[in-house]
Amino acid sequence: MIRLYTWPTPNGHKVQIMLEEVGVPYTVHPVDIIRGAQFNPDYLALNPNNKVPTIVDEDGPGGKPLTVFETGAILVYLAEKTGQFMPSDPRARSGVMQWLMWQMGGLGPMLGQAQHFHRYATEKVPYAIERYTKEGRRLLCVMERQLDGIDYLAGDYSIADIACFPWVRIHKMANQSLDDLPRVSRWYAAIRARPAVERGIKLLLDQWVDVTKSEEARTNLFGSPQYRSSANGLP
Ligand SMILES: N[C@@H](CCC(=O)N[C@@H](CS)C(=O)NCC(=O)O)C(=O)O
């Protein structure tokens, strides 16, 4: 059995979708990041980075529990455990890893910052809005070019697509449009139509909070004393 610690956000959705896709049994443990649950010592013992999601595989390697944090590492772990959504051929596998890393180091962080400065920052910072909106747009155009002649980012549907999907899903909140990106739009629609994806993004949907309307959320996500001290106890 796998324990999933999550909250309905793009990074949470990656693993929620993956668990639904691979069909392994799991239990859901909400970590209410709006109320600061990511700073609870019990959760920090699982995820030193105080972010969601995290998994604990009770039947990990050697029959012992294994805790995994960071969505890229979680997706690779689940793909290897189940033999799904990542090819074993080294060339094809490298393609999947490249696009997974591209998501982890580029698309996610940049759209995340675009969303932050477009929607969440109390101070309007035109330089930051322009910088991250442009970089997010550039990355979506990279996707558009990559999807020329192929259905999914690295050939077959894989963990690279599962990683990218939740961030493309929130593109409007990140000040982006897909209107002139037909291949990204086609890719998005194909993934959105998958029943496992529907189940994954429905999980904990009733708990979703609009951060722009919650002072508590802003404090816990962007400015609480715990937030500052979570950097290894440094002020
Ligand atoms: N690189 C991390 C990022 C995880 C992340 O940023 N999670 C966000 C939700 S999308 C979070 O937990 N935010 C809570 C906080 O910042 O306190 C991963 O891929 O797992």
Side-chain angles (χ1 to χ4, degrees):
M1 181 68 80
I2 288 178
R3 301 203 305 266
L4 167 65
Y5 295 82
T6 191
W7 196 249
T9 68
N11 284 307
H13 284 156
K14 293 181 199 171
V15 177
Q16 295 173 200
I17 289 169
M18 181 65 173
L19 283 166
E20 286 296 329
E21 289 281 15
V22 295
V24 293
Y26 68 98
T27 53
V28 181
H29 304 260
V31 179
D32 187 344
I33 62 173
I34 301 303
R35 299 223 149 80
Q38 66 274 39
F39 302 109
N40 288 346
D42 287 354
Y43 187 66
L44 284 173
L46 301 175
N47 187 322
N49 195 36
N50 58 265
K51 306 266 179 191
V52 291
T54 305
I55 61 164
V56 179
D57 184 359
E58 308 278 11
D59 311 306
K64 294 189 192 136
L66 177 71
T67 303
V68 191
F69 78 105
E70 279 297 314
T71 50
I74 297 171
L75 292 174
V76 170
Y77 178 76
L78 291 172
E80 287 178 340
K81 181 183 171 83
T82 63
Q84 296 182 70
F85 305 114
M86 186 166 61
S88 53
D89 167 71
R91 193 171 292 270
R93 182 188 153 92
S94 174
V96 169
M97 293 299 274
Q98 289 169 51
W99 285 98
L100 177 65
M101 297 304 151
W102 177 84
Q103 188 288 314
M104 293 298 295
L107 189 73
M110 293 304 128
L111 290 185
Q113 292 304 317
Q115 179 185 32
H116 182 87
F117 286 105
H118 174 60
R119 283 194 88 225
Y120 300 152
T122 41
E123 183 194 345
K124 283 285 162 221
V125 187
Y127 181 88
I129 294 171
E130 191 186 339
R131 157 82 185 139
Y132 292 114
T133 301
K134 270 190 178 165
E135 182 59 3
R137 168 73 187 175
R138 187 191 69 79
L139 289 159
L140 288 170
C141 291
V142 170
M143 259 184 106
E144 180 72 10
R145 285 196 298 277
Q146 174 64 9
L147 289 167
D148 187 7
I150 54 175
D151 289 341
Y152 296 102
L153 287 168
D156 292 337
Y157 180 60
S158 74
I159 53 174
D161 302 292
I162 293 173
C164 291
F165 173 81
W167 284 102
V168 177
R169 179 168 176 266
I170 59 104
H171 65 270
K172 285 191 187 136
M173 290 199 243
N175 206 15
Q176 305 291 329
S177 165
L178 303 186
D179 288 351
D180 59 346
L181 302 175
R183 297 179 201 127
V184 175
S185 301
R186 180 252 301 147
W187 168 92
Y188 179 82
I191 298 176
R192 184 65 185 84
R194 296 177 68 92
V197 171
E198 170 72 8
R199 292 195 300 274
I201 57 181
K202 258 194 178 162
L203 195 66
L204 300 180
L205 194 61
D206 56 333
Q207 313 265 352
W208 186 82
V209 169
D210 183 347
V211 171
T212 62
K213 298 193 168 66
S214 163
E215 209 43 55
E216 186 183 19
R218 276 182 196 283
T219 302
N220 282 318
L221 292 172
F222 312 132
S224 69
Q226 299 100 300
Y227 186 88
R228 290 193 297 274
S229 67
S230 72
N232 298 326
L234 298 172

